[in-house]
């Protein structure tokens, strides 16, 4: 069954609007809609499983593109699962792939392909997907694949690649997230570069997140992005794989800039592995970042290699940044035996407590 509208740019045009709790949407296809699936706050415990949204599984088709794929305001929303049968294939969107608002607490996004074809090997991005076009409530980020300002978000085991904007964004002082086991900016194998155009992961406005972990399946494989141009207006370079902007983060066990096989990805100009700074978002209160990058325990260290700058702790104008950098392999492969150099290793600015 395909639910199709007549415009991917009309905010009011939704394929399905869920108002009832405990509803499952399974194995449907959606195209040419402002919002494919809109889950209201009253529709708690919604389950979105095995749908194809905004594409036909092979390439971008303007007859199937959408403004936003899934927009949820409901507690305990689950989008996908560890089962391949429950995987949602989401691409061809202009504004947002998956958006969780502040009331979508304790929600899980798991096992989906966001931005790629059904094989996980090529992009299905809408060529008009960059820019100021906004089909859901305006936010302090450009268009992107997954974003949340809800508490208790789990983002696990997704392929987030080939998108025309940011990869994953967590924002707001109430937002907390666990981001584990994802491939961001790579193909499904974690070896080939399939970049998002903007930042791979961004935390902003006093958000809190754990990125990776010490378990065997917890680490994310994160490629550098490809740079970002917003309808002719370039965002400031460099572009980051992980950007911690006035927020708190624990970053453990990830491969940043190197793939599952240990070789460096091709990366965009001036890509930074982990960029840590006080709030730079216009209109937001000044907030400093508190970050633990790696640790001394087994599996805690990150591999950060093949980039322009591996780690950049920027100077703070009004308060100290509090950063721990421990147990990481910077400029090598995951074994620590082969050089996979960065142009610069760790850069520390003024007023930074490291």
């Amino acid at each position: 069954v395909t639910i199709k509208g007549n415009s991917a740019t009309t905010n009011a045009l939704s394929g399905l609007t869920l108002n009832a709790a405990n509803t499952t949407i399974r194995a449907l296809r959606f195209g040419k809609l402002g919002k494919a699936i809109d889950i209201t706050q009253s529709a708690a415990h919604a389950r979105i499983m095995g749908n194809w949204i905004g594409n036909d599984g092979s390439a971008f088709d303007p007859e199937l593109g959408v403004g936003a794929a899934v927009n949820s305001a409901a507690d305990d929303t689950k989008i996908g699962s560890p089962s391949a049968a429950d995987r949602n294939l989401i691409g061809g969107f202009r504004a947002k792939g998956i958006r969780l608002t502040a009331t979508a607490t304790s929600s899980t996004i798991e096992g989906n392909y966001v931005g790629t074809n059904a094989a996980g090997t090529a992009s299905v991005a809408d060529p008009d997907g960059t820019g100021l076009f906004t089909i859901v409530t305006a936010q302090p980020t450009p268009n992107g694949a997954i974003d949340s300002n809800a508490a208790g978000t789990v983002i696990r085991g997704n392929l987030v690649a080939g998108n025309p904007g940011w990869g994953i964004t967590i924002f707001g002082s109430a937002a907390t997230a666990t981001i584990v086991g994802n491939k961001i900016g790579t193909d499904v194998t974690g070896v080939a570069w399939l970049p998002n155009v903007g930042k791979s992961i961004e935390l902003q406005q006093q958000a809190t997140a754990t990125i990776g972990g010490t378990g065997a399946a917890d680490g994310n494989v994160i490629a550098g992005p490809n740079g970002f141009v917003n309808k002719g207006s370039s965002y400031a370079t460099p572009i980051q794989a992980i950007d911690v902007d006035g927020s708190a983060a624990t970053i453990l066990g990830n491969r940043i800039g190197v793939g599952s096989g240990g070789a460096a990805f091709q990366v965009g100009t001036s890509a930074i592995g982990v960029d840590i700074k006080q709030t730079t978002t216009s209109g937001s209160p000044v907030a400093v970042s508190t970050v633990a990058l790696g640790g001394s325990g087994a599996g805690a260290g990150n591999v950060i290699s093949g980039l322009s700058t591996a780690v950049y702790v920027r100077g703070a104008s009004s308060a100290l940044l509090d950063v721990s950098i421990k147990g990481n392999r910077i400029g090598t492969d995951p074994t620590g035996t082969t050089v996979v150099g960065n142009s610069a290793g760790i850069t520390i600015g003024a007023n930074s407590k490291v």
Side-chain angles (χ1 to χ4, degrees), residues 191-294:
V191 173
W193 192 48
L194 187 58
N196 300 295
V197 175
K199 302 173 185 180
S200 299
I201 298 176
E202 180 172 35
L203 311 180
Q204 60 173 248
Q205 297 186 346
Q206 303 177 59
T208 300
T210 298
I211 301 172
T214 59
D218 289 343
N220 303 282
V221 179
I222 305 169
N226 195 27
F228 189 78
V229 177
N230 189 355
K231 291 208 181 279
S233 299
S234 296
Y235 275 73
T237 56
I239 296 292
Q240 303 89 344
I242 299 177
D243 185 19
V244 184
D245 187 348
S247 297
T250 301
I251 304 171
L252 304 171
N254 303 286
R255 296 188 180 189
I256 304 168
V258 294
S260 298
F265 296 108
Q266 177 185 0
V267 295
T269 302
S270 300
I272 293 175
V274 181
D275 195 357
I276 303 166
K277 55 186 177 290
Q278 71 178 32
T279 295
T280 58
T281 305
S282 176
S284 299
V286 173
V288 300
S289 291
T290 303
V291 176
L293 179 60

Side-chain angles (χ1 to χ4, degrees), residues 65-277:
V66 296
V70 182
N71 185 65
S72 180
D75 178 68
D76 185 38
T77 299
K78 294 193 185 306
I79 302 171
S81 86
S83 169
D86 292 338
R87 176 186 303 140
N88 296 286
L89 185 65
I90 297 172
F93 52 85
R94 289 192 171 192
K96 298 290 178 183
I98 299 172
R99 164 85 168 98
L100 302 180
T101 71
T103 54
T105 55
S106 303
S107 293
T108 300
I109 300 167
E110 183 170 17
N112 305 286
Y113 286 6
V114 185
T116 76
N117 61 10
T121 57
S123 170
V124 292
D126 185 335
D128 291 326
T130 59
L132 302 177
F133 175 79
T134 302
I135 203 74
V136 291
T137 304
Q139 301 143 58
T141 60
N143 300 338
I146 298 173
D147 69 39
S148 172
N149 64 329
T153 300
V154 176
I155 301 172
R156 179 192 296 122
N158 302 281
L159 176 61
V160 182
N163 291 292
W166 272 212
I168 297 172
T169 303
I170 309 298
F171 67 98
S173 59
T176 60
T178 301
I179 303 170
V180 291
N182 303 282
K183 295 182 176 73
I184 305 170
T186 84
D187 73 346
V188 69
T189 68
V191 173
W193 192 48
L194 187 58
N196 300 295
V197 175
K199 302 173 185 180
S200 299
I201 298 176
E202 180 172 35
L203 311 180
Q204 60 173 248
Q205 297 186 346
Q206 303 177 59
T208 300
T210 298
I211 301 172
T214 59
D218 289 343
N220 303 282
V221 179
I222 305 169
N226 195 27
F228 189 78
V229 177
N230 189 355
K231 291 208 181 279
S233 299
S234 296
Y235 275 73
T237 56
I239 296 292
Q240 303 89 344
I242 299 177
D243 185 19
V244 184
D245 187 348
S247 297
T250 301
I251 304 171
L252 304 171
N254 303 286
R255 296 188 180 189
I256 304 168
V258 294
S260 298
F265 296 108
Q266 177 185 0
V267 295
T269 302
S270 300
I272 293 175
V274 181
D275 195 357
I276 303 166
K277 55 186 177 290

